[in-house]
Amino acid sequence: MATPAEDLARSIPVLPSPDIVETRDFYRDELGFGVVGPEMDDYLIVRRGDIEIHFWKSGDRKLPEVSSCYIRGGEVPALHAEFSSRGVRQLSPFTVRPWNMKEFYIRDPHGNLLRFGCAPEEV
């Protein structure tokens, strides 16, 4: 039986996608995520290290434009450097925001906003 230290609860975002294949290709090919589990037409799970994001097929193309998730942690500065060197489209500058978090943003091809952040002292 797993102890609480071995199996911590966590939150995993589930974002809408009007095109699962295009979403898979973007996260895998541009952001370096791996695809988890069987590939399905209506659901996708991607993971990179401890970052996991799920996607469900949505017929409403406007939903991704108002959806987002926040990814926080000490690996964020290295991710920005890597994404910058890869030429990831719609990569924002990595800057300290008014709420004292150093952040950058990426919009996926459908409009989902990925917000990456860490405390400035973690940089």
Side-chain angles (χ1 to χ4, degrees), residues 19-105:
D19 185 326
I20 293 292
V21 171
E22 187 176 7
T23 298
R24 179 203 65 205
D25 292 350
F26 175 77
Y27 283 84
R28 182 191 64 204
D29 301 341
E30 292 200 36
L31 301 185
F33 280 76
V35 176
V36 177
E39 293 206 27
M40 299 174 272
D41 295 334
D42 61 352
Y43 205 82
L44 171 69
I45 301 171
V46 296
R47 184 180 302 140
R48 180 181 169 136
D50 289 333
I51 302 167
E52 184 172 310
I53 307 172
H54 294 205
F55 296 89
W56 59 280
K57 181 145 174 90
S58 169
D60 185 345
R61 292 194 169 271
K62 293 187 183 227
L63 280 179
E65 296 173 6
V66 294
S67 297
S68 68
C69 70
Y70 196 93
I71 299 160
R72 180 179 178 165
E75 69 191 67
V76 167
L79 286 173
H80 186 268
E82 178 188 329
F83 295 158
S84 183
S85 71
R86 285 179 176 229
V88 170
R89 35 186 172 155
Q90 297 196 44
L91 176 65
S92 77
F94 189 31
T95 187
V96 177
R97 307 294 175 177
W99 43 91
N100 198 35
M101 290 294 289
K102 189 160 186 181
E103 299 177 342
F104 70 91
Y105 309 140

